[in-house]
Amino acid sequence: MSTFFGPPAIRRAVVAGIAAVALGAGGAALTGCGLIPKAAPSPSATGLPQAAESPSPSAGPGFPDVCKLFTNDEIGALTKATITDAKPDDKSTKDQPDCAWSSADGGAVTTIYLANKTKAKFDDESGGYQAVTGIGDGAYENHGILTVLHGTTEITVIFGGGGDDSIAVQKSIAQKVIDKLDNPSPSPSAS
């Protein structure tokens, strides 16, 4: 027989309580070390109401149809190319929409992706890449691809034109995306 005190029901309750405390402390330690993600406290857990986050004007889901943000002529003016087609790829979703504008020969000239991203996650992902200044709440260049954070929206711009002015062209496109997200207007007619 066990040298533990009391009837079996009490022993089970004590052991369960010790296990709960140990798991709670261990879970807190693992969470503090980053091994288990922290969950935000719920209003019922703290007993206090939580402050509502103010939505960013460009926060998704609810992103616009990226292909309708610009006409072919608008993208053509930004990229100095003749654009004949705009379409999303097969991986485009409502929560992560994209669009590729292509030229008459079918080559992609520009692609724009949108996604939700926190500042902390963006900063974590941008580590090791070339920082780009003068646009958004943060930006970096990764092998010729510009990624910009605006509020909680990550904007990725790929410009197939290349050359020394590639980042400048991508910055101008990303700034136009920011402008259109912040000041939505009726969708332009296709050209």
Side-chain angles (χ1 to χ4, degrees):
M1 178 159 190
S2 169
T3 58
F4 199 72
F5 63 92
I10 293 176
R11 284 195 307 257
R12 282 191 298 272
V14 169
V15 169
I18 292 170
V21 169
L23 286 174
L30 290 174
T31 299
C33 293
L35 297 175
I36 297 176
K38 286 185 182 180
S42 67
S44 61
T46 62
L48 301 172
Q50 290 181 313
E53 288 187 31
S54 58
S56 164
S58 59
F63 288 122
D65 180 340
V66 180
C67 289
K68 292 182 180 176
L69 283 178
F70 301 98
T71 65
N72 291 346
D73 290 341
E74 288 174 315
I75 289 291
L78 291 167
T79 61
K80 296 177 181 37
T82 302
I83 305 298
T84 59
D85 192 30
K87 63 182 177 186
D89 73 17
D90 60 348
K91 295 179 184 173
S92 182
T93 67
K94 180 182 173 191
D95 294 339
Q96 292 185 330
D98 66 61
C99 188
W101 286 266
S102 55
S103 60
D105 64 4
V109 174
T110 298
T111 304
I112 299 171
Y113 298 89
L114 301 179
N116 284 315
K117 191 71 55 143
T118 65
K119 177 74 169 142
K121 182 77 171 166
F122 182 86
D123 289 345
D124 183 53
E125 291 175 355
S126 68
Y129 296 114
Q130 178 66 44
V132 176
T133 60
I135 187 160
D137 299 319
Y140 65 92
E141 181 264 332
N142 173 10
H143 304 300
I145 298 170
L146 178 66
T147 303
V148 176
L149 184 66
H150 175 64
T152 58
T153 300
E154 182 180 70
I155 303 161
T156 302
V157 179
I158 302 170
F159 171 58
D164 292 337
D165 66 341
S166 179
I167 291 297
V169 170
Q170 290 171 309
K171 278 177 75 171
S172 67
I173 293 169
Q175 186 59 56
K176 293 288 186 186
V177 172
I178 290 169
D179 295 345
K180 288 183 180 266
L181 291 174
D182 286 349
N183 303 299
S185 61
S187 296
S189 59
S191 57

